[in-house]
Amino acid sequence: MNRIKTTNKKTVSLAAQIFIALALALIAGLLMQKIPDVANTYIKPFGTIFLNLVKFIVGPLVLFSIMAGIVSLRDLKKLGAIGGTTLVYYFCTTAAAVSIGLAVASLFKGFFPALSTASLTYTPPQSVSALDVLVNIFPSNFLVPISSANMLQVIVMAVLIGFAVILLGEKAEAAIGTINRWNDIFMKCMEMILKLSPVGVFCLLAPVIATNGTAVIGSLAKVLLCAYICYILHAVIVYSLTVSTLGGVSPIRFFKEMAPAITFAFSSASSVGTLPLNMECTRKLGVSKDVSSFVLPLGATINMDGTAIYQGVCAIFIAACYGIDLTFAQMASIVLTATLASIGTAGVSGAGMLMLAMVLTSVGLPVDGIALVAGVDRIFDMGRTSLNITGDASCTVIVSNLLKKREAKQTLKNQQ
């Protein structure tokens, strides 16, 4: 009689692996501050390879996951409810984020370093008109949006094709099967790539620490500290309240499950690059695939809570450097401008800096002041990206829970 031996192998979770990689990257980066060229030459390329793999999978993954979600719903009213709730939530949290940024930065104003504004020059990215943004949402080619990772265009493509499949009815049964199969293929491919996350995190973050180190951050440490306090406050207050009251999920569980995505976003500073891992984390939170496949790609493109906080903090800091005290009306203008700009600059290259230029212009502050913070923008970006993707995830939890309640009410109504 053959004995079957069973062994209980304890495996380290992906979240733990990423945290270990993050810690090792911080240590390695600090040790290589005197030789940053070594880190950038021999370590960074492997991080770039990993990020390229993630970007490669994002386009087709978003296209097929959204289409699969739409054809599984087969209810255009339900899809409209998802989209409407998502947009309202994103607008509200962005407005709250920039308000927190302004409030905390106002308290920090007396502690900000006195930096010289003489000889400052900065040329902001070229602004894009509202009509141009609207035109650029709609693709003129099937392959270009996927290859360039233009998420808004990919979403439009997926919605159009998904609607067409639903409207064809029984004729499209074969197409539905094909869409679901390709979605499964790209999901499996995503799982394979995500197993390399710890290596990617280390190779992406170590060169950043080695290049910037503590010396570069020095004079702007208080501004960076202010921004990160705002990031944490927004996450702890706004997201904790919304996921617990509207999403029916414990904040502790939410942040625990989101830890891998947050850590990866921090090291990569890429909302789109974090999208596959964010989908994985929200599924563990019980979010349905049809919700996450629509809400997360949209959020990765237009939801910028972290960026909104950055606008508020930088506006107060730059005003302080120029000896200008912002009035309440000007602060209200910043809230409105930053909230609308988060949608208006969606998909535009250099959106963060473009938004800041728009915010400064709206209250009459010199755009050249951006040069004061441009040198450490990457450090700001790591925190704001982490907050951005966390906000996307919180929205999926809330939308999924509200839909479940709606369906339960409808079922109860039908039974009566």
Side-chain angles (χ1 to χ4, degrees), residues 11 14 19 86 90 103 119 128 167 179 205 238 270 302 353 400:
T11 57
L14 181 62
F19 274 122
T86 299
Y90 285 158
S119 303
V128 182
L167 294 172
I179 290 171
L205 189 57
V238 177
S270 172
I302 69 171
M353 286 298 185
S400 183

Side-chain angles (χ1 to χ4, degrees), residues 369-394:
I370 296 176
L372 293 168
V373 294
V376 291
D377 183 64
R378 168 73 188 209
I379 311 299
F380 281 112
D381 198 13
M382 291 158 70
R384 68 187 184 226
T385 303
S386 299
L387 191 67
N388 287 345
I389 66 99
T390 307
D392 300 343
S394 70

Side-chain angles (χ1 to χ4, degrees), residues 98-99 102 327-339 362-363:
V98 69
S99 299
L102 288 169
T327 64
F328 179 79
Q330 287 175 311
M331 289 189 184
S333 177
I334 290 174
V335 173
L336 181 62
T337 304
T339 304
S362 71
V363 292

Side-chain angles (χ1 to χ4, degrees), residues 187-196:
M187 284 290 182
K188 179 56 67 176
C189 191
M190 176 193 75
E191 290 176 13
M192 293 163 59
I193 294 171
L194 290 183
K195 288 181 180 179
L196 300 174

